[in-house]
Amino acid sequence: MVSDGKVVSNPLERSSCNNCGHGFHAKNFSEEQIKEIYSADYSIGLRDPVAEAARSAEYSRQIEAFLTHQLGNEANFPKIIEFGCGSGTLLSHLTDRLGAQIATGVEPSSRVAANARLNVGDRISIHQGFAEQFEETAPDYNLCLSVNVIEHTRNPRGFLQACRRVIHKTGNIVVICPDGEIVGSELLFYDHISNFTRASLAMIAASANLRIVANSPLMGGLQGFRIYLLRFGDADLGNQARGFEVLSQERVEYVNTWSKVQDTTCGMLKGRKYGVFGTGEYSDLLHAYSPSVIEKAEFFVRDQPVEADFYGKPVVSVKDFLSLPRLPLIAAVHERSWPLVRDRFKSEDVQIFHSLEIARQDLIP
Ligand SMILES: [Zn+2]
């Protein structure tokens, strides 16, 4: 599955480096395949504008806190550029919060870029294109930002070089990406070409004459992501690489568990009517990797429905669901949110299951 929920027909085959923990596709894919994925209809972030706005505000808050913590009074950036600016919401927040006079957003999808132009204020200009092709006479930005972009690039070194090209030599590069040291659903996104560990990103940065000066996991609703601060300079890669065999093995087990989800979930619910809680990314994952679980569901449940139907099924509010005779639910929520969701519905006497947990239990001999 691609990040916007689209299903591609190529099988998912991943590998990991045991020395640095870098995760990658076993088969490299072409420039054409990348362009196809990010063509005009790539629409991540346009589906639920309310959730997208809340998420941007949270990214903005955590980026600002990280920069203030790392740079103190220097955390002031007259000129900001964001590669992969999406709707432009985050760039707008940061332009205000970090005191920028000029900001540039670069976005490869023409449809998303056109939407961004409508969202941003006078100080921000939006360019359609890829970071690697961005050109400006004297860029000299104080901050180059990218949020969940580098893992999509076919050539992360080339991407970091593009970041380096646009900043002043005293400038800062902030990169946020999924934390590849945490094994989870990130592995299922076909368009996540790389899974970065701190060690693997440090090596790639060094090859672009950059060094990671600080990094930190993001918190709360952004758990699972890591923020990096990079600057010009030579890295000390001394003892970065260590044995990553355990991480490699955990990734294999995670993906193998997902390959059992459809059979084990359908087996357990055989003949019963049920609903699916959640209409987000995790529902898309179930749809892509275990389509029968979604096809056989009666309806979706979510807190504040923004859509009348989803994958051809009605979407009902939790309140309405609880007013009806209770049917069991499959929780289409991230593994880290599962305990909270489980306890919440159990307290309402609702039988609720998580597909990954069912598949894992099935694997226990
Ligand atoms: Zn490696």
Side-chain angles (χ1 to χ4, degrees):
M1 188 191 91
V2 183
S3 295
D4 68 351
K6 196 164 48 191
V7 179
V8 292
S9 54
N10 302 26
L12 184 71
E13 291 177 66
R14 287 204 183 275
S15 292
S16 298
C17 172
N18 283 342
N19 292 324
C20 70
H22 195 70
F24 51 94
H25 281 283
K27 288 195 196 85
N28 215 341
F29 50 93
S30 67
E31 198 99 23
E32 281 63 44
Q33 281 172 299
I34 303 267
K35 291 219 168 103
E36 196 187 309
I37 291 170
Y38 304 111
S39 58
D41 71 336
Y42 183 77
S43 58
I44 188 166
L46 294 182
R47 200 160 70 183
D48 188 345
V50 177
E52 153 78 7
R55 213 169 154 77
S56 291
E58 187 56 21
Y59 271 115
S60 172
R61 200 185 63 72
Q62 295 201 30
I63 291 167
E64 188 188 354
F66 173 76
L67 288 171
T68 306
H69 180 73
Q70 296 301 332
L71 304 171
N73 292 338
E74 286 174 59
N76 192 284
F77 307 96
K79 260 183 99 175
I80 300 179
I81 185 166
E82 184 184 8
F83 286 145
C85 67
S87 65
T89 317
L90 175 63
L91 187 57
S92 297
H93 271 288
L94 286 173
T95 302
D96 290 339
R97 301 291 308 171
L98 302 174
Q101 275 102 52
I102 299 172
T104 303
V106 180
E107 167 56 46
S109 158
S110 54
R111 185 172 147 223
V112 177
N115 175 60
R117 278 187 201 106
L118 304 173
N119 289 341
V120 298
D122 297 345
R123 280 176 290 168
I124 305 177
S125 57
I126 304 291
H127 290 252
Q128 193 228 320
F130 285 87
E132 293 82 348
Q133 281 126 35
F134 179 77
E135 275 182 51
E136 207 177 275
T137 336
D140 270 351
Y141 287 90
N142 311 97
L143 176 66
C144 173
L145 172 78
S146 66
V147 178
N148 301 332
V149 176
I150 194 168
E151 70 275 19
H152 297 270
T153 62
R154 205 162 130 255
N155 176 1
R157 175 173 178 242
F159 178 76
L160 289 178
Q161 284 170 329
C163 297
R164 192 182 191 275
R165 268 201 300 279
V166 298
I167 59 163
H168 185 263
K169 64 181 189 302
T170 61
N172 300 280
I173 298 169
V174 165
V175 172
I176 293 178
C177 60
D179 187 342
E181 290 171 54
I182 299 168
V183 176
S185 55
E186 195 229 338
L187 295 167
L188 304 175
F189 294 97
Y190 189 78
D191 53 335
H192 287 197
I193 298 170
S194 300
N195 312 107
F196 295 100
T197 62
R198 281 166 288 180
S200 77
L201 191 64
M203 286 202 281
I204 295 162
S207 73
N209 302 105
L210 292 168
R211 70 190 173 91
I212 297 173
V213 294
N215 74 91
S216 170
L218 296 184
M219 315 301 263
L222 302 178
Q223 261 178 61
F225 296 91
R226 188 170 281 275
I227 182 167
Y228 294 89
L229 179 63
L230 298 91
R231 284 190 167 169
F232 276 47
D234 296 322
D236 171 21
L237 292 175
N239 47 19
Q240 287 272 11
R242 57 170 175 87
F244 279 92
E245 292 86 354
V246 173
L247 180 67
S248 302
Q249 192 52 37
E250 283 173 359
R251 285 176 178 163
V252 170
E253 281 163 16
Y254 184 84
V255 174
N256 283 348
T257 305
W258 264 92
S259 71
K260 309 267 190 298
V261 159
Q262 174 155 298
D263 288 351
T264 53
T265 304
C266 291
M268 200 200 69
L269 289 165
K270 198 151 67 193
R272 294 171 78 185
K273 289 188 169 175
Y274 63 93
V276 173
F277 176 71
T279 60
E281 190 174 272
Y282 219 89
S283 298
D284 293 334
L285 288 171
L286 285 172
H287 170 258
Y289 293 104
S290 58
S292 299
V293 173
I294 297 296
E295 277 158 25
K296 292 178 182 166
E298 301 289 319
F299 51 82
F300 286 89
V301 182
R302 65 170 282 178
D303 279 307
Q304 272 121 19
V306 292
E307 64 279 81
D309 60 272
F310 189 62
Y311 290 122
K313 317 273 176 187
V315 182
V316 300
S317 68
V318 172
K319 197 165 158 265
D320 289 346
F321 169 73
L322 292 174
S323 69
L324 300 164
R326 303 290 154 88
L327 290 182
L329 288 178
I330 291 293
V333 298
H334 199 279
E335 294 105 68
R336 66 178 158 261
S337 312
W338 164 233
L340 216 65
V341 170
R342 180 192 59 208
D343 295 348
R344 174 181 168 196
F345 281 96
K346 287 211 164 144
S347 72
E348 300 279 359
D349 277 326
V350 176
Q351 266 198 307
I352 187 162
F353 307 96
H354 196 287
S355 286
L356 208 63
E357 195 171 87
I358 300 169
R360 277 196 182 121
Q361 277 161 1
D362 194 70
L363 292 177
I364 299 167

